[in-house]
Amino acid sequence: MGNICFYTRLLTCLCIVYSTYSYNVTDEDLLFKDLFTNYNKELRAGNDRNYPLNVSMSFYLFALKEFDEATSKFTVNGVFVTSWRDERLAWDPSNYNNITRTLMSQDKIWLPNLVITNPFEDIYGLGSDLVKVYLYYDGSCIWTTMQSFEVICDADVTNYPFDRQYCSLQFVSYGYGEEWMNITFTNSKVILTQYQESGLWDIEDTTAYSHITSALTGVTIGLYLKRRFTYYIAGLVLPMTIVAILQSFVFMLPNDSGERVGFSVTVLLASVVFLTIIQDKLPESSEPNISILGFLLFGYVSLGVIVTLCVILSSNFHIFEESKPVPKWLRISLCLKTNKIDEDYSTGSTIRVASKEESRDDEAISCSWKDVAKAFDRRCFISSLSLYGLQFLIYFAMVL
């Protein structure tokens, strides 16, 4: 007898469950006809017109699709989940074979009309004709809109490639101010559970909030981004610095080789190529600031020009006729020595140390134009190498 009661109860439960989900297309078609009879989608949802309609939103970020600093184009893929209650769309499930929810096209019901206000090209709103809205028997509506959003994001490239950026998606509900609609976010942050990591940008923080803009209800989704700079260090900053420093070693080439000017000009052109690459990547604007990297490379190029001029000057020193005396100021600055010891290698004897007056007279005879060129090259090498290193250190001190 106990087993019979158990099976009877189990059968009853199965019948209830079956009857709950056993509605057919005819039942759903009848529900649609009844719901949309005399339904006006132009009227805002909410029976009590003295209070604003409560709309709840959340944003799920899927991917950072593109961020072009030169054109200020920022593209992300994400989903807005928006919910509200429209009492006109409520029904009694018992009258429709226990239907508790259904799907309908977004163009059939009233929607919170959110339009993007910082588009990259054309202005557009949330959703499309392909999007469906979940409708529940108590009138609750859940609108899930997955889109690719293209907006304008002006990049601050001052510290490029060690820069941080803030980009936002900005929407406004035209026609509905704070007295008509109250938008709140279930989470003050962007939800990243489905986010696919970007190889170029790291998301440091996010924000999602509503606000009042010109008496209209607005929505802002903000992303704080940090550039992943490893590639730029290995592929841009270090190579262009090494090429620039290489130009200093032009002073180590012999003047008689005839390759000094050609080597210096070639390295200078390589620095100009790096400058062109950077200009192609950065926006053509001076606000808020020009990239410090651009100033660094400009310093490299400027110093390269000076090095090239010094090489030409050194070459001229080298080919001056020996019959032309070396000016005194060059002897003092480049060739002057306090004393001189000459060793007779044939006999192994050493000449006495000359007095200061005799030493200066001897120096005037022994300091040739080739000696001037060698001393000039030595000082230019040390000075240029120090200046290149100083520029590099100043750059990293400013950006880090």
Side-chain angles (χ1 to χ4, degrees):
M1 188 67 178
N3 290 335
I4 296 176
C5 293
F6 171 77
Y7 286 116
T8 302
R9 291 176 182 176
L10 179 60
L11 182 60
T12 303
C13 292
L14 291 175
C15 291
I16 293 175
V17 172
Y18 177 76
S19 63
T20 301
Y21 297 97
S22 63
Y23 67 88
N24 54 39
V25 67
T26 303
D27 299 323
E28 197 164 11
D29 181 64
L30 177 62
L31 173 62
F32 269 58
K33 289 180 181 179
D34 292 344
L35 288 178
F36 293 104
T37 300
N38 300 323
Y39 180 84
N40 188 352
K41 67 178 183 179
E42 299 299 327
L43 297 178
R44 175 182 64 87
N47 281 335
D48 195 340
R49 316 306 275 187
N50 294 321
Y51 296 94
L53 175 68
N54 291 319
V55 177
S56 178
M57 298 188 72
S58 58
F59 182 74
Y60 293 78
L61 181 65
F62 285 175
L64 296 179
K65 186 177 179 181
E66 180 184 5
F67 188 13
D68 189 345
E69 298 92 335
T71 61
S72 299
K73 181 181 180 181
F74 181 64
T75 308
V76 298
N77 295 336
V79 171
F80 274 102
V81 179
T82 310
S83 62
W84 67 94
R85 188 179 180 188
D86 191 343
E87 292 85 350
R88 296 172 297 173
L89 298 176
W91 73 89
D92 185 355
S94 61
N95 295 332
Y96 301 95
N97 208 359
N98 293 315
I99 298 177
T100 57
R101 68 173 184 173
T102 186
L103 278 172
M104 63 182 63
S105 299
Q106 70 169 38
D107 59 348
K108 291 184 176 295
I109 65 173
W110 176 90
L111 298 173
N113 186 27
L114 291 172
V115 179
I116 196 163
T117 57
N118 61 334
F120 182 75
E121 290 182 350
D122 298 330
I123 296 176
Y124 55 90
L126 285 182
S128 68
D129 294 337
L130 300 176
V131 175
K132 301 290 185 179
V133 179
Y134 275 100
L135 180 60
Y136 292 84
Y137 70 94
D138 62 348
S140 299
C141 302
I142 299 180
W143 184 32
T144 303
T145 54
M146 179 178 180
Q147 286 182 243
S148 182
F149 301 97
E150 293 184 355
V151 299
I152 295 175
C153 181
D154 293 325
D156 180 2
V157 294
T158 304
N159 296 327
Y160 176 90
F162 305 95
D163 52 325
R164 288 176 168 83
Q165 306 292 341
Y166 172 75
C167 295
S168 62
L169 312 178
Q170 299 176 14
F171 298 84
V172 68
S173 182
Y174 282 109
Y176 298 104
E178 57 182 338
E179 73 279 5
W180 290 90
M181 188 164 58
N182 177 35
I183 298 179
T184 58
F185 276 83
T186 57
N187 194 328
S188 61
K189 304 289 185 180
V190 173
I191 301 174
L192 302 176
T193 54
Q194 303 297 323
Y195 174 66
Q196 298 179 356
E197 288 289 341
S198 170
L200 184 57
W201 296 97
D202 182 29
I203 298 180
E204 291 190 312
D205 196 8
T206 63
T207 183
Y209 61 93
S210 62
H211 52 89
I212 304 300
T213 303
S214 300
L216 298 176
T217 303
V219 169
T220 297
I221 305 297
L223 300 174
Y224 294 88
L225 309 175
K226 179 183 178 182
R227 191 188 300 272
R228 301 179 188 270
F229 54 79
T230 306
Y231 166 79
Y232 297 94
I233 291 292
L236 184 62
V237 178
L238 288 182
M240 78 178 192
T241 301
I242 292 173
V243 169
I245 292 177
L246 183 63
Q247 193 162 17
S248 297
F249 288 86
V250 70
F251 296 107
M252 304 297 290
L253 293 176
N255 258 308
D256 296 328
S257 66
E259 300 293 335
R260 288 161 59 100
V261 175
F263 176 85
S264 181
V265 172
T266 301
V267 176
L268 179 61
L269 291 177
S271 297
V272 173
V273 170
F274 276 111
L275 182 60
T276 304
I277 293 174
I278 292 177
Q279 289 176 341
D280 291 339
K281 289 181 174 292
L282 302 182
E284 299 177 358
S285 62
S286 300
E287 294 294 336
N289 288 302
I290 300 175
S291 174
I292 299 177
L293 184 62
F295 285 113
L296 174 66
L297 195 49
F298 176 74
Y300 285 167
V301 173
S302 301
L303 187 55
V305 172
I306 296 175
V307 168
T308 304
L309 295 177
C310 290
V311 168
I312 296 173
L313 183 59
S314 176
S315 299
N316 280 276
F317 286 156
H318 185 75
I319 64 175
F320 275 168
E321 296 179 359
E322 295 299 333
S323 59
K324 185 177 180 180
V326 178
K328 183 178 181 180
W329 64 273
L330 277 179
R331 294 199 310 269
I332 295 175
S333 60
L334 295 177
C335 299
L336 185 62
K337 299 178 183 178
T338 57
N339 54 47
K340 180 180 179 182
I341 299 177
D342 291 329
E343 185 173 354
D344 188 353
Y345 292 99
S346 61
T347 62
S349 61
T350 303
I351 301 177
R352 66 179 179 86
V353 177
S355 65
K356 290 185 178 180
E357 291 76 9
E358 293 173 337
S359 179
R360 290 189 178 182
D361 292 337
D362 292 339
E363 196 64 40
I365 297 174
S366 63
C367 184
S368 64
W369 283 108
K370 290 185 178 181
D371 294 331
V372 171
K374 290 180 180 179
F376 182 73
D377 286 345
R378 183 167 56 252
R379 295 196 177 186
C380 287
F381 172 73
I382 295 173
S383 299
S384 61
L385 202 61
S386 300
L387 289 175
Y388 279 124
L390 181 62
Q391 291 183 77
F392 185 74
L393 293 176
I394 291 176
Y395 168 71
F396 272 94
M398 294 180 67
V399 299
L400 295 181

